[in-house]
Amino acid sequence: DTEVTQTPKHLVMGMTNKKSLKCEQHMGHRAMYWYKQKAKKPPELMFVYSYEKLSINESVPSRFSPECPNSSLLNLHLHALQPEDSALYLCASSHPGDQPQHFGDGTRLSIL
Amino acid sequence: EDKVVQSPLSLVVHEGDTVTLNCSYEVTNFRSLLWYKQEKKAPTFLFMLTSSGIEKKSGRLSSILDKKELFSILNITATQTGDSAVYLCAVDLSGGTYKYIFGTGTRLKVLA
């Protein structure tokens, strides 16, 4: 088990559904990240929040909408996803600055 | 374009062997290089290297960075089946972006 908790662990949804992924950490980290990982590929950065403000959006389609309600929580709202969005979605957190990122176990998302 | 390249892509060894994994990089603003181990879920942090020539060691694993030649190696001695995983190298870009560039990973399989 990691110190970054992601829920749900698995999610299957249709292309017209709306769902949310949740990430929580209690390490006092002020930077939080969403990554997408396809099979046999490295993680690809999607979004970075620093001190609850969005600091990086890697040109992610608007059907993915991040939200950082407080310093411990990070959500990823999903709407009208495509089959190619099926992947492992990883959340990470770190102290801003020269500190390693710590990853959650991810949510395995399947789009039907 | 920022780039991180790992070699070999995959490796099969027997228990007790020593392995060396390679990571080379070309980035505009280097802050640190990190090694992660990924089994089925979360990448777990192994090492962070910022200074050239200083070896980091943890049990049977060790790593060193050469900032002049722009590469790092990860050594695993006396391998065990539990070392089977994908080993990811990431470069942390400086400038307050908190952005990692990941290599493609090396898939290591240790046979009993």
Side-chain angles (χ1 to χ4, degrees):
Chain A
D1 287 344
T2 69
E3 295 176 44
V4 178
T5 304
Q6 290 188 243
T7 54
K9 294 192 189 307
H10 301 274
L11 179 62
V12 179
M13 58 188 284
M15 289 191 284
T16 58
N17 293 157
K18 283 186 183 182
K19 296 284 185 184
S20 297
L21 309 185
K22 182 178 168 182
C23 174
E24 194 165 2
Q25 58 87 15
H26 294 288
M27 295 180 282
H29 291 168
R30 303 305 298 272
M32 295 185 77
Y33 313 78
W34 281 116
Y35 288 86
K36 174 182 177 180
Q37 188 175 27
K38 301 283 271 186
K40 299 191 178 183
K41 298 286 187 184
E44 294 174 31
L45 183 66
M46 299 174 72
F47 302 103
V48 180
Y49 273 84
S50 174
Y51 294 93
E52 295 95 71
K53 287 187 169 39
L54 183 66
S55 60
I56 294 180
N57 176 342
E58 291 286 282
S59 303
V60 179
S62 60
R63 57 186 184 268
F64 295 90
S65 175
E67 179 197 18
C68 190
N70 60 57
S71 60
S72 302
L73 273 177
L74 186 65
N75 298 320
L76 186 62
H77 303 298
L78 314 172
H79 174 54
L81 294 193
Q82 304 298 307
E84 62 265 26
D85 297 322
S86 298
L88 180 67
Y89 287 83
L90 292 164
C91 173
S93 70
S94 73
H95 290 293
D98 204 9
Q99 296 293 325
Q101 294 178 19
H102 296 267
F103 286 82
D105 280 342
T107 293
R108 194 161 296 280
L109 177 65
S110 297
I111 307 300
L112 301 179
Chain B
E1 184 188 343
D2 296 322
K3 191 168 58 172
V4 177
V5 178
Q6 291 185 246
S7 64
L9 291 180
S10 65
L11 193 53
V12 180
V13 300
H14 289 91
E15 272 193 318
D17 288 349
T18 293
V19 297
T20 298
L21 309 183
N22 304 291
C23 175
S24 63
Y25 61 92
E26 290 179 36
V27 300
T28 46
N29 290 298
F30 176 91
R31 177 154 65 184
S32 62
L33 186 144
L34 302 97
W35 285 97
Y36 285 86
K37 175 183 181 182
Q38 187 174 25
E39 297 176 79
K40 291 183 179 174
K41 296 180 182 177
T44 53
F45 170 70
L46 296 175
F47 299 112
M48 183 169 72
L49 304 151
T50 53
S51 301
S52 206
I54 297 176
E55 185 181 47
K56 292 277 182 100
K57 201 169 168 63
S58 176
R60 297 176 294 103
L61 277 67
S62 64
S63 184
I64 197 160
L65 174 67
D66 185 328
K67 288 171 79 172
K68 184 180 174 187
E69 299 297 330
L70 308 182
F71 77 92
S72 174
I73 59 172
L74 175 69
N75 278 321
I76 309 175
T77 59
T79 52
Q80 302 171 357
T81 54
D83 296 327
S84 297
V86 175
Y87 290 83
L88 293 163
C89 172
V91 171
D92 185 3
L93 305 181
S94 65
T97 65
Y98 316 129
K99 183 173 175 177
Y100 286 5
I101 304 294
F102 279 91
T104 48
T106 293
R107 189 172 297 272
L108 174 66
K109 188 169 177 67
V110 182
L111 303 176

